[in-house]
Amino acid sequence: MANIKCMRVILTLVALAAVAAGAWFAFLGWDQEYYEVDGVAQGPYRPWQVVACGAVIVLACTAAFAYLRRVWLLAVIPAVAVMGFAVPWAAWASQDDTGLWVVGLLFLLVGGTMGLTAWLAVGYAVVEAVRAIRCRRAGARAPSGPGVEW
């Protein structure tokens, strides 16, 4: 039984990393040209590309956490998603001659992990609060202990 649960976690995390990498390729990987807005160079990404890519990754992390239902994964799921995204991004960005891509990678790793962790933690807190309210209304105690998956 433990092997099945472990394999389920591993396969879900691998799928999450693949989705995050795929989001980079689908939304950002194909567009490397800068464009002008009011005479100022912008880009290479349009705002819709970044928002859509981020939304896919946030939704994938949320789905993975809801599927696996393990509190300790609050720290793991965001790191896996960010690494899945960062690997193809870093491979592309490393072509930059200035070396500033390393700073961008650091911001991506730290900021992305912190943001996704905060998102999942808030979602987890909301779910637990709703569960506690429902149990209180039903007159039962909220389940706790080693048998509870959360």
Side-chain angles (χ1 to χ4, degrees):
M1 184 71 160
N3 286 339
I4 293 172
K5 288 183 180 181
C6 183
M7 187 60 87
R8 186 173 103 168
V9 169
I10 291 170
L11 289 176
T12 303
L13 293 176
V14 168
L16 177 61
V19 166
W24 183 83
F25 284 107
F27 293 104
L28 307 177
W30 53 269
D31 189 6
Q32 283 93 35
E33 292 183 23
Y34 287 82
Y35 58 96
E36 277 193 31
V37 174
D38 296 329
V40 178
Q42 309 251 334
Y45 310 127
R46 306 259 182 191
W48 73 265
Q49 290 172 281
V50 177
V51 169
C53 185
V56 166
I57 294 171
V58 166
L59 289 174
C61 286
T62 304
F65 187 66
Y67 175 67
L68 294 174
R69 298 182 60 151
R70 301 282 185 268
V71 174
W72 63 272
L73 289 172
L74 278 172
V76 177
I77 287 174
V80 167
V82 169
M83 287 301 295
F85 178 86
V87 168
W89 179 86
W92 170 77
S94 65
Q95 300 169 9
D96 177 31
D97 294 337
T98 66
L100 287 176
W101 72 272
V102 177
V103 176
L105 179 62
L106 181 65
F107 283 136
L108 172 64
L109 292 174
V110 173
T113 302
M114 288 175 59
L116 286 171
T117 301
W119 170 262
L120 293 179
V122 167
Y124 171 72
V126 167
V127 166
E128 286 301 303
V130 169
R131 180 189 297 191
I133 290 169
R134 285 183 179 165
C135 286
R136 216 174 293 130
R137 283 185 182 164
R141 234 179 109 230
S144 63
V148 177
E149 290 186 6
W150 281 108

